[in-house]
Amino acid sequence: MRLWRLLARVYFLLVFLPPLGALFLAFGKTLSLTFLKDAIYLRALSNTFILALGATGLSVLLSLPLATLLAKSRFPLARLWAVLLAVPLLFLPYQTALAWSFILPAPVLKLLFSPWGVVFIFTISFFPLVFWPLYLSFLSIPREAEESGLLLAPPLKVFTRVTLPYAKPYLLGGAGLCFIFSFTEIGAPTYLGVPVIGSEILTRFAAFYDLQGALNASLPLAITGLLFFLLERPFVKRWEIAPRWRDPRGLLFESRPFFLLGGLFLGVTLLVAVFLPLSVLAFKAFSGDFWSVLTRAKSPLLRTFLYTGGAAILAGGVALVSQPLFKEREKDLWDTLALLAFFLPSVVLAVGLIYFWGRFPLVYSSWVLLLLGLLCHFGFLTQRLLREAWRRFDKGGLEAAYLAGRGFNAIFRRIILPPLSPWFGYALAIFFIFAANEMTLSSLLYPPGGATLAVTIYTLSVNNPLSVSAGLCLLNTLFILVVVSLLLCLLRPGADGSRSA
Amino acid sequence: MAVVLLKGVRKRFSGEEVLRGVDLSVSPGEILAVIGLSGAGKSTLLRLIAGLETPEAGEIHLYGKPATRGSQILLPPWERKIGFIFQNLALWEHLTVYEHLEFVNREPARIKELLSFFELWELRKKRPPELSGGQRQRLAIARALAQEPALLLLDEPFSNLDMVRKKKFRQELLRIRERRELTLIYVTHDPLDVKLLADRVAVIHEGVILQEGPLETLLAAPAHPIVRELLSF
Ligand SMILES: Nc1ncnc2c1ncn2[C@@H]1O[C@H](COP(=O)(O)OP(=O)(O)OP(=O)(O)O)[C@@H](O)[C@H]1O
Ligand SMILES: [Mg+2]
C-alpha cells in the first residue's frame, strides 16, 4: 500500500509539476510584451475570443431546447437521440469543416470560409459538451423538487424557477468546456482561412523554432485558462461530472406543438451536425482512392492507438488506484493541478512541456513527451470521474473488509474494483475520445517520424487531394468509435445501478 | 360536500395494478390517516389526488368539481390548491428560506407571518443545506401553507423526526387546523400518529381501501387480520 502510494505520488509530480512549474517560472522571468504591437497577432487574438464566445453562446442556445425535449418530455427514443447527439465529439472539427465545404454550393461557400463559418463549425462540433451535462442534470433533478413547484405554478414557470437553477452549474461547466475547446482548436480555422492564436503560435514555433516567442504569445491564453480555473470553484462547485440517473418524470412538457417543433429542431440538428457531414465525407472518401488512404493511415493509426490508449489506461489506472490510497485533501491537491492543466489551452501546455523537457533529450525526442502531454492535459477527466465513483462507493463495505483482516491488494481486487470498473470504463472512453481527437498538443509534441493520425490529418490538410483528407478523417472517426464501443462492451458500464436504476 | 372524492380509481405501473378501484371521501376540516404496508400504494394515492399521477380509470373530485376523469387531468396540479409535504421534503436547494415562500406567495406580510410562526424568520437568508433537519421540515410545512391550500397532503411527515419534534409537530398541525379550515390527509406507519391526530383512518391493502372509520371502530371490529396488525401498538 505504501509502495503504491509512493508510485502514485511520483506519477502526479512527474506529470503535472514540470510543465506547470516551467510555465510559472518562464512567464515570471522572461516576459516581453512586444507581441502586443503586432497587428497580425492581435487580429488572431481577437478572432480567437470572438469565435469561442460565439460558438459557446450558440451551443447553449442549441442545447437548451434539445435537453429540454429529451429530458423533460416523453419524446420517443429519447436516449437514442441523446447518444446520437454525442457523435460530433468523435469528429475532428476540421473534418466537419471539410465536409461542409463539400456540401455548400459555391455562392454560400464564401460564408463558410469566414469567421461566421468557423463559429458554425465550432458550434456543431462542440455543442455536445454543453448538451450532455445539461441533459444529465435535467434527468437528475429530484422529481419532487419540480413537483412541489407544479403544485403552485404552470410548467414554464417551474422550468425557469426550479429546473434551470438546478442545472445552472452544469450549464456553466459545459459552456466553459465548449469555450476552452473552441478557444484552442486550430484545425478548422486553419482550413477555413481564419487566423487564430493557436495556429499563430504553432507556426511561430514550428517555422522559426522560437520557443520564447511562442511562450510570450501564449500569455493571453494562459491568463484565460487561469481565469476559467479560478472561476470553476465558485460557479461550478456542485458539478458532479456524472450525475445520478433518475426516473425522468417530474416536470414534463407534453403539448403537441412542443413535440413537433422540438422533433423538427432535433432532426435538423442531427442532420447538420452528424448525418450530412458523415455521409458526405464517406461519399468523398470512397470516390477517391480509399485503398491508398488505408495504407498511408496504417502506421499513424497504430501510433494513435498506442499513445492515446496507453495514456488512457495509465491515467485511468492511476486515478483508480489513488482513490483508496489518498486522503481527500491530497486528492484535492492533485485534482487542482490536473484541473489547471486541463483548463490551460493545449498550446500553452505544450510550450510548457517543451520548455521543461527540452533539457532531457531522451524524453524530448521520444514518444514519452507526447504521452506526458496527454496525461497532463486530460488526466483531470479520469481523476474527476473516478473520484465521483469513489464518493458514491459504500465505504462501510470497505471497513468491513479491513476488519476481516484482508490485505490491501485483495481488498482492492475483490471489494473496490468491481463497483468502480464501469466508471473506469467511462473514464477510459472519455479520455480516449478527447485525446485521439486532439490536434494541437500532438502537433507540437509528437516525436520525429511518429505522427499520430490527427497530426497526419492536420499536416496533410494543406497540400493533398481533399479525398485523402476525407478518407483519413473518416478512418479516425471509425477508429475511435470502434475502440470506445469495445471498451464500453468489455467493461459493461450498463451493469452500474446508478445508470440503469 | 366532500373536499376529496375518489370513485373507482385504478392505477397501474408497468403492467402491475397498484390501486384497483379505490373509493374514498374526505369531508372539510377532517384529518384522515392512511396506513398500509410498504408498497401498498399510499404515496401513489396522494400523488393521484394532487394530479401528479394520472390514473387508468375512475374519477377524482375536488371541492365538488371533477379534477381527474379516467386518465384525463381536468384540473392541473397548480390549480388544485393542494399543499403537499413530500417524504423527502423536496426543498429547492438553490433558494433561500425567504425565496421558498416568495415563490409561492407574493405577500410580504404573509411570508413574515408564516416564517415567524415556524421560527424561521431569523433564518430567512439561509438555504436548505444550511438548515437542521427540524428546520427543513418546518420550512416544508411553511411552504405548503403559504399557498393557502384547502387541502394538505403529507407523505410520512414524521418519519425522520425524533420523539420530541414529533410531538411538537403533531401539536403544530392541530393548531394550524384550528386556526383555519384545513383538510388533512397524511400517510403514516405509526399507530400512535393515528391515535393522536386522526379523526378517521383508512387501511389500504392489496390495491383497495380495506376498511375505514374511527380508530376505535376498526380496532373493535377489524375486517381483516392485517387491520389489527397495522393499527395495534
Ligand atoms: N413510478 C413508478 N414506476 C413503477 N412502479 C412504481 C412507481 N411508483 C410506485 N411504483 C410501485 O407502486 C407500488 C406502490 O408504491 P407507493 O410508493 O405508492 O407505495 P407506498 O405505500 O407509499 O410504500 P412506502 O410505505 O414504502 O412508501 C410499489 O410496488 C412501487 O414499486
Ligand atoms: Mg410511500
Side-chain angles (χ1 to χ4, degrees), chain A residues 425-443:
Chain A
Y426 283 135
L428 289 196
I430 289 178
F431 187 105
F432 190 82
I433 291 173
F434 283 122
N437 260 348
E438 211 291 325
M439 231 177 204
T440 319
L441 200 68
S442 0
S443 295

mmCIF file with all atom_site columns, all heavy atoms in Angstrom, chain A residues 425-443:
data_model
loop_
_atom_site.group_PDB
_atom_site.id
_atom_site.type_symbol
_atom_site.label_atom_id
_atom_site.label_alt_id
_atom_site.label_comp_id
_atom_site.label_asym_id
_atom_site.label_entity_id
_atom_site.label_seq_id
_atom_site.pdbx_PDB_ins_code
_atom_site.Cartn_x
_atom_site.Cartn_y
_atom_site.Cartn_z
_atom_site.occupancy
_atom_site.B_iso_or_equiv
_atom_site.pdbx_formal_charge
_atom_site.auth_seq_id
_atom_site.auth_comp_id
_atom_site.auth_asym_id
_atom_site.auth_atom_id
_atom_site.pdbx_PDB_model_num
ATOM 1   N N   . GLY A 1 425 ? -14.396 2.248  -17.057 1.00 0.00 ? 425 GLY A N   1
ATOM 2   C CA  . GLY A 1 425 ? -14.690 2.169  -18.491 1.00 0.00 ? 425 GLY A CA  1
ATOM 3   C C   . GLY A 1 425 ? -15.082 3.516  -19.074 1.00 0.00 ? 425 GLY A C   1
ATOM 4   O O   . GLY A 1 425 ? -14.556 3.937  -20.100 1.00 0.00 ? 425 GLY A O   1
ATOM 5   N N   . TYR A 1 426 ? -15.993 4.206  -18.397 1.00 0.00 ? 426 TYR A N   1
ATOM 6   C CA  . TYR A 1 426 ? -16.372 5.540  -18.867 1.00 0.00 ? 426 TYR A CA  1
ATOM 7   C C   . TYR A 1 426 ? -15.170 6.456  -18.957 1.00 0.00 ? 426 TYR A C   1
ATOM 8   O O   . TYR A 1 426 ? -14.981 7.193  -19.920 1.00 0.00 ? 426 TYR A O   1
ATOM 9   C CB  . TYR A 1 426 ? -17.345 6.200  -17.894 1.00 0.00 ? 426 TYR A CB  1
ATOM 10  C CG  . TYR A 1 426 ? -18.743 5.697  -17.984 1.00 0.00 ? 426 TYR A CG  1
ATOM 11  C CD1 . TYR A 1 426 ? -19.457 5.407  -16.827 1.00 0.00 ? 426 TYR A CD1 1
ATOM 12  C CD2 . TYR A 1 426 ? -19.361 5.528  -19.213 1.00 0.00 ? 426 TYR A CD2 1
ATOM 13  C CE1 . TYR A 1 426 ? -20.747 4.946  -16.886 1.00 0.00 ? 426 TYR A CE1 1
ATOM 14  C CE2 . TYR A 1 426 ? -20.653 5.068  -19.279 1.00 0.00 ? 426 TYR A CE2 1
ATOM 15  C CZ  . TYR A 1 426 ? -21.341 4.780  -18.120 1.00 0.00 ? 426 TYR A CZ  1
ATOM 16  O OH  . TYR A 1 426 ? -22.617 4.328  -18.170 1.00 0.00 ? 426 TYR A OH  1
ATOM 17  N N   . ALA A 1 427 ? -14.369 6.415  -17.885 1.00 0.00 ? 427 ALA A N   1
ATOM 18  C CA  . ALA A 1 427 ? -13.226 7.326  -17.816 1.00 0.00 ? 427 ALA A CA  1
ATOM 19  C C   . ALA A 1 427 ? -12.281 7.067  -18.986 1.00 0.00 ? 427 ALA A C   1
ATOM 20  O O   . ALA A 1 427 ? -11.843 8.004  -19.663 1.00 0.00 ? 427 ALA A O   1
ATOM 21  C CB  . ALA A 1 427 ? -12.505 7.162  -16.480 1.00 0.00 ? 427 ALA A CB  1
ATOM 22  N N   . LEU A 1 428 ? -11.982 5.790  -19.240 1.00 0.00 ? 428 LEU A N   1
ATOM 23  C CA  . LEU A 1 428 ? -11.099 5.468  -20.356 1.00 0.00 ? 428 LEU A CA  1
ATOM 24  C C   . LEU A 1 428 ? -11.703 5.945  -21.672 1.00 0.00 ? 428 LEU A C   1
ATOM 25  O O   . LEU A 1 428 ? -11.015 6.533  -22.514 1.00 0.00 ? 428 LEU A O   1
ATOM 26  C CB  . LEU A 1 428 ? -10.849 3.967  -20.434 1.00 0.00 ? 428 LEU A CB  1
ATOM 27  C CG  . LEU A 1 428 ? -9.991  3.321  -19.363 1.00 0.00 ? 428 LEU A CG  1
ATOM 28  C CD1 . LEU A 1 428 ? -9.532  1.940  -19.810 1.00 0.00 ? 428 LEU A CD1 1
ATOM 29  C CD2 . LEU A 1 428 ? -8.792  4.174  -19.022 1.00 0.00 ? 428 LEU A CD2 1
ATOM 30  N N   . ALA A 1 429 ? -12.998 5.696  -21.847 1.00 0.00 ? 429 ALA A N   1
ATOM 31  C CA  . ALA A 1 429 ? -13.638 6.063  -23.112 1.00 0.00 ? 429 ALA A CA  1
ATOM 32  C C   . ALA A 1 429 ? -13.563 7.567  -23.334 1.00 0.00 ? 429 ALA A C   1
ATOM 33  O O   . ALA A 1 429 ? -13.192 8.038  -24.420 1.00 0.00 ? 429 ALA A O   1
ATOM 34  C CB  . ALA A 1 429 ? -15.085 5.595  -23.115 1.00 0.00 ? 429 ALA A CB  1
ATOM 35  N N   . ILE A 1 430 ? -13.899 8.333  -22.306 1.00 0.00 ? 430 ILE A N   1
ATOM 36  C CA  . ILE A 1 430 ? -13.906 9.785  -22.466 1.00 0.00 ? 430 ILE A CA  1
ATOM 37  C C   . ILE A 1 430 ? -12.493 10.304 -22.715 1.00 0.00 ? 430 ILE A C   1
ATOM 38  O O   . ILE A 1 430 ? -12.255 11.119 -23.610 1.00 0.00 ? 430 ILE A O   1
ATOM 39  C CB  . ILE A 1 430 ? -14.530 10.445 -21.220 1.00 0.00 ? 430 ILE A CB  1
ATOM 40  C CG1 . ILE A 1 430 ? -16.025 10.151 -21.230 1.00 0.00 ? 430 ILE A CG1 1
ATOM 41  C CG2 . ILE A 1 430 ? -14.275 11.934 -21.203 1.00 0.00 ? 430 ILE A CG2 1
ATOM 42  C CD1 . ILE A 1 430 ? -16.765 10.690 -20.056 1.00 0.00 ? 430 ILE A CD1 1
ATOM 43  N N   . PHE A 1 431 ? -11.548 9.786  -21.941 1.00 0.00 ? 431 PHE A N   1
ATOM 44  C CA  . PHE A 1 431 ? -10.156 10.179 -22.140 1.00 0.00 ? 431 PHE A CA  1
ATOM 45  C C   . PHE A 1 431 ? -9.744  9.873  -23.571 1.00 0.00 ? 431 PHE A C   1
ATOM 46  O O   . PHE A 1 431 ? -9.133  10.706 -24.265 1.00 0.00 ? 431 PHE A O   1
ATOM 47  C CB  . PHE A 1 431 ? -9.262  9.426  -21.149 1.00 0.00 ? 431 PHE A CB  1
ATOM 48  C CG  . PHE A 1 431 ? -7.825  9.877  -21.148 1.00 0.00 ? 431 PHE A CG  1
ATOM 49  C CD1 . PHE A 1 431 ? -7.335  10.662 -20.107 1.00 0.00 ? 431 PHE A CD1 1
ATOM 50  C CD2 . PHE A 1 431 ? -6.963  9.535  -22.168 1.00 0.00 ? 431 PHE A CD2 1
ATOM 51  C CE1 . PHE A 1 431 ? -6.026  11.087 -20.101 1.00 0.00 ? 431 PHE A CE1 1
ATOM 52  C CE2 . PHE A 1 431 ? -5.645  9.952  -22.179 1.00 0.00 ? 431 PHE A CE2 1
ATOM 53  C CZ  . PHE A 1 431 ? -5.182  10.729 -21.138 1.00 0.00 ? 431 PHE A CZ  1
ATOM 54  N N   . PHE A 1 432 ? -10.081 8.693  -24.027 1.00 0.00 ? 432 PHE A N   1
ATOM 55  C CA  . PHE A 1 432 ? -9.646  8.277  -25.355 1.00 0.00 ? 432 PHE A CA  1
ATOM 56  C C   . PHE A 1 432 ? -10.248 9.162  -26.443 1.00 0.00 ? 432 PHE A C   1
ATOM 57  O O   . PHE A 1 432 ? -9.549  9.578  -27.363 1.00 0.00 ? 432 PHE A O   1
ATOM 58  C CB  . PHE A 1 432 ? -10.038 6.809  -25.594 1.00 0.00 ? 432 PHE A CB  1
ATOM 59  C CG  . PHE A 1 432 ? -9.421  6.248  -26.833 1.00 0.00 ? 432 PHE A CG  1
ATOM 60  C CD1 . PHE A 1 432 ? -8.119  5.774  -26.825 1.00 0.00 ? 432 PHE A CD1 1
ATOM 61  C CD2 . PHE A 1 432 ? -10.111 6.242  -28.026 1.00 0.00 ? 432 PHE A CD2 1
ATOM 62  C CE1 . PHE A 1 432 ? -7.537  5.286  -27.975 1.00 0.00 ? 432 PHE A CE1 1
ATOM 63  C CE2 . PHE A 1 432 ? -9.543  5.745  -29.182 1.00 0.00 ? 432 PHE A CE2 1
ATOM 64  C CZ  . PHE A 1 432 ? -8.248  5.271  -29.154 1.00 0.00 ? 432 PHE A CZ  1
ATOM 65  N N   . ILE A 1 433 ? -11.526 9.467  -26.319 1.00 0.00 ? 433 ILE A N   1
ATOM 66  C CA  . ILE A 1 433 ? -12.168 10.311 -27.332 1.00 0.00 ? 433 ILE A CA  1
ATOM 67  C C   . ILE A 1 433 ? -11.462 11.658 -27.422 1.00 0.00 ? 433 ILE A C   1
ATOM 68  O O   . ILE A 1 433 ? -11.094 12.127 -28.505 1.00 0.00 ? 433 ILE A O   1
ATOM 69  C CB  . ILE A 1 433 ? -13.656 10.534 -26.995 1.00 0.00 ? 433 ILE A CB  1
ATOM 70  C CG1 . ILE A 1 433 ? -14.424 9.231  -27.158 1.00 0.00 ? 433 ILE A CG1 1
ATOM 71  C CG2 . ILE A 1 433 ? -14.255 11.610 -27.880 1.00 0.00 ? 433 ILE A CG2 1
ATOM 72  C CD1 . ILE A 1 433 ? -15.848 9.322  -26.698 1.00 0.00 ? 433 ILE A CD1 1
ATOM 73  N N   . PHE A 1 434 ? -11.255 12.289 -26.275 1.00 0.00 ? 434 PHE A N   1
ATOM 74  C CA  . PHE A 1 434 ? -10.646 13.616 -26.295 1.00 0.00 ? 434 PHE A CA  1
ATOM 75  C C   . PHE A 1 434 ? -9.203  13.560 -26.784 1.00 0.00 ? 434 PHE A C   1
ATOM 76  O O   . PHE A 1 434 ? -8.764  14.390 -27.566 1.00 0.00 ? 434 PHE A O   1
ATOM 77  C CB  . PHE A 1 434 ? -10.710 14.258 -24.907 1.00 0.00 ? 434 PHE A CB  1
ATOM 78  C CG  . PHE A 1 434 ? -12.073 14.798 -24.587 1.00 0.00 ? 434 PHE A CG  1
ATOM 79  C CD1 . PHE A 1 434 ? -12.768 14.363 -23.477 1.00 0.00 ? 434 PHE A CD1 1
ATOM 80  C CD2 . PHE A 1 434 ? -12.670 15.732 -25.410 1.00 0.00 ? 434 PHE A CD2 1
ATOM 81  C CE1 . PHE A 1 434 ? -14.029 14.853 -23.187 1.00 0.00 ? 434 PHE A CE1 1
ATOM 82  C CE2 . PHE A 1 434 ? -13.934 16.232 -25.137 1.00 0.00 ? 434 PHE A CE2 1
ATOM 83  C CZ  . PHE A 1 434 ? -14.610 15.781 -24.021 1.00 0.00 ? 434 PHE A CZ  1
ATOM 84  N N   . ALA A 1 435 ? -8.462  12.556 -26.301 1.00 0.00 ? 435 ALA A N   1
ATOM 85  C CA  . ALA A 1 435 ? -7.041  12.508 -26.637 1.00 0.00 ? 435 ALA A CA  1
ATOM 86  C C   . ALA A 1 435 ? -6.827  12.146 -28.105 1.00 0.00 ? 435 ALA A C   1
ATOM 87  O O   . ALA A 1 435 ? -5.936  12.677 -28.757 1.00 0.00 ? 435 ALA A O   1
ATOM 88  C CB  . ALA A 1 435 ? -6.320  11.521 -25.721 1.00 0.00 ? 435 ALA A CB  1
ATOM 89  N N   . ALA A 1 436 ? -7.648  11.233 -28.626 1.00 0.00 ? 436 ALA A N   1
ATOM 90  C CA  . ALA A 1 436 ? -7.432  10.816 -30.012 1.00 0.00 ? 436 ALA A CA  1
ATOM 91  C C   . ALA A 1 436 ? -7.839  11.906 -30.994 1.00 0.00 ? 436 ALA A C   1
ATOM 92  O O   . ALA A 1 436 ? -7.314  11.989 -32.101 1.00 0.00 ? 436 ALA A O   1
ATOM 93  C CB  . ALA A 1 436 ? -8.224  9.544  -30.301 1.00 0.00 ? 436 ALA A CB  1
ATOM 94  N N   . ASN A 1 437 ? -8.775  12.765 -30.596 1.00 0.00 ? 437 ASN A N   1
ATOM 95  C CA  . ASN A 1 437 ? -9.192  13.851 -31.471 1.00 0.00 ? 437 ASN A CA  1
ATOM 96  C C   . ASN A 1 437 ? -8.362  15.108 -31.264 1.00 0.00 ? 437 ASN A C   1
ATOM 97  O O   . ASN A 1 437 ? -8.671  16.148 -31.811 1.00 0.00 ? 437 ASN A O   1
ATOM 98  C CB  . ASN A 1 437 ? -10.664 14.183 -31.223 1.00 0.00 ? 437 ASN A CB  1
ATOM 99  C CG  . ASN A 1 437 ? -11.543 13.541 -32.273 1.00 0.00 ? 437 ASN A CG  1
ATOM 100 O OD1 . ASN A 1 437 ? -11.033 13.055 -33.272 1.00 0.00 ? 437 ASN A OD1 1
ATOM 101 N ND2 . ASN A 1 437 ? -12.825 13.550 -32.054 1.00 0.00 ? 437 ASN A ND2 1
ATOM 102 N N   . GLU A 1 438 ? -7.353  15.004 -30.439 1.00 0.00 ? 438 GLU A N   1
ATOM 103 C CA  . GLU A 1 438 ? -6.555  16.164 -30.091 1.00 0.00 ? 438 GLU A CA  1
ATOM 104 C C   . GLU A 1 438 ? -5.577  16.459 -31.222 1.00 0.00 ? 438 GLU A C   1
ATOM 105 O O   . GLU A 1 438 ? -4.887  15.574 -31.708 1.00 0.00 ? 438 GLU A O   1
ATOM 106 C CB  . GLU A 1 438 ? -5.805  15.863 -28.799 1.00 0.00 ? 438 GLU A CB  1
ATOM 107 C CG  . GLU A 1 438 ? -5.550  17.039 -27.938 1.00 0.00 ? 438 GLU A CG  1
ATOM 108 C CD  . GLU A 1 438 ? -4.550  17.986 -28.535 1.00 0.00 ? 438 GLU A CD  1
ATOM 109 O OE1 . GLU A 1 438 ? -3.614  17.509 -29.198 1.00 0.00 ? 438 GLU A OE1 1
ATOM 110 O OE2 . GLU A 1 438 ? -4.728  19.196 -28.357 1.00 0.00 ? 438 GLU A OE2 1
ATOM 111 N N   . MET A 1 439 ? -5.502  17.706 -31.641 1.00 0.00 ? 439 MET A N   1
ATOM 112 C CA  . MET A 1 439 ? -4.628  18.057 -32.747 1.00 0.00 ? 439 MET A CA  1
ATOM 113 C C   . MET A 1 439 ? -3.486  18.960 -32.306 1.00 0.00 ? 439 MET A C   1
ATOM 114 O O   . MET A 1 439 ? -2.343  18.781 -32.703 1.00 0.00 ? 439 MET A O   1
ATOM 115 C CB  . MET A 1 439 ? -5.444  18.800 -33.788 1.00 0.00 ? 439 MET A CB  1
ATOM 116 C CG  . MET A 1 439 ? -5.305  18.252 -35.180 1.00 0.00 ? 439 MET A CG  1
ATOM 117 S SD  . MET A 1 439 ? -6.380  19.186 -36.245 1.00 0.00 ? 439 MET A SD  1
ATOM 118 C CE  . MET A 1 439 ? -6.622  18.003 -37.535 1.00 0.00 ? 439 MET A CE  1
ATOM 119 N N   . THR A 1 440 ? -3.795  19.932 -31.474 1.00 0.00 ? 440 THR A N   1
ATOM 120 C CA  . THR A 1 440 ? -2.829  20.972 -31.152 1.00 0.00 ? 440 THR A CA  1
ATOM 121 C C   . THR A 1 440 ? -1.652  20.418 -30.365 1.00 0.00 ? 440 THR A C   1
ATOM 122 O O   . THR A 1 440 ? -0.486  20.566 -30.754 1.00 0.00 ? 440 THR A O   1
ATOM 123 C CB  . THR A 1 440 ? -3.524  22.076 -30.338 1.00 0.00 ? 440 THR A CB  1
ATOM 124 O OG1 . THR A 1 440 ? -4.805  22.303 -30.892 1.00 0.00 ? 440 THR A OG1 1
ATOM 125 C CG2 . THR A 1 440 ? -2.713  23.334 -30.354 1.00 0.00 ? 440 THR A CG2 1
ATOM 126 N N   . LEU A 1 441 ? -1.989  19.781 -29.258 1.00 0.00 ? 441 LEU A N   1
ATOM 127 C CA  . LEU A 1 441 ? -0.946  19.259 -28.381 1.00 0.00 ? 441 LEU A CA  1
ATOM 128 C C   . LEU A 1 441 ? -0.069  18.265 -29.140 1.00 0.00 ? 441 LEU A C   1
ATOM 129 O O   . LEU A 1 441 ? 1.166   18.337 -29.103 1.00 0.00 ? 441 LEU A O   1
ATOM 130 C CB  . LEU A 1 441 ? -1.626  18.566 -27.192 1.00 0.00 ? 441 LEU A CB  1
ATOM 131 C CG  . LEU A 1 441 ? -0.807  18.356 -25.927 1.00 0.00 ? 441 LEU A CG  1
ATOM 132 C CD1 . LEU A 1 441 ? -0.505  19.673 -25.275 1.00 0.00 ? 441 LEU A CD1 1
ATOM 133 C CD2 . LEU A 1 441 ? -1.597  17.473 -24.966 1.00 0.00 ? 441 LEU A CD2 1
ATOM 134 N N   . SER A 1 442 ? -0.722  17.365 -29.870 1.00 0.00 ? 442 SER A N   1
ATOM 135 C CA  . SER A 1 442 ? 0.068   16.336 -30.555 1.00 0.00 ? 442 SER A CA  1
ATOM 136 C C   . SER A 1 442 ? 0.899   16.932 -31.683 1.00 0.00 ? 442 SER A C   1
ATOM 137 O O   . SER A 1 442 ? 2.008   16.464 -31.940 1.00 0.00 ? 442 SER A O   1
ATOM 138 C CB  . SER A 1 442 ? -0.823  15.219 -31.082 1.00 0.00 ? 442 SER A CB  1
ATOM 139 O OG  . SER A 1 442 ? -2.150  15.440 -30.803 1.00 0.00 ? 442 SER A OG  1
ATOM 140 N N   . SER A 1 443 ? 0.381   17.970 -32.342 1.00 0.00 ? 443 SER A N   1
ATOM 141 C CA  . SER A 1 443 ? 1.179   18.591 -33.399 1.00 0.00 ? 443 SER A CA  1
ATOM 142 C C   . SER A 1 443 ? 2.475   19.152 -32.857 1.00 0.00 ? 443 SER A C   1
ATOM 143 O O   . SER A 1 443 ? 3.488   19.193 -33.539 1.00 0.00 ? 443 SER A O   1
ATOM 144 C CB  . SER A 1 443 ? 0.400   19.721 -34.064 1.00 0.00 ? 443 SER A CB  1
ATOM 145 O OG  . SER A 1 443 ? -0.717  19.217 -34.722 1.00 0.00 ? 443 SER A OG  1
#
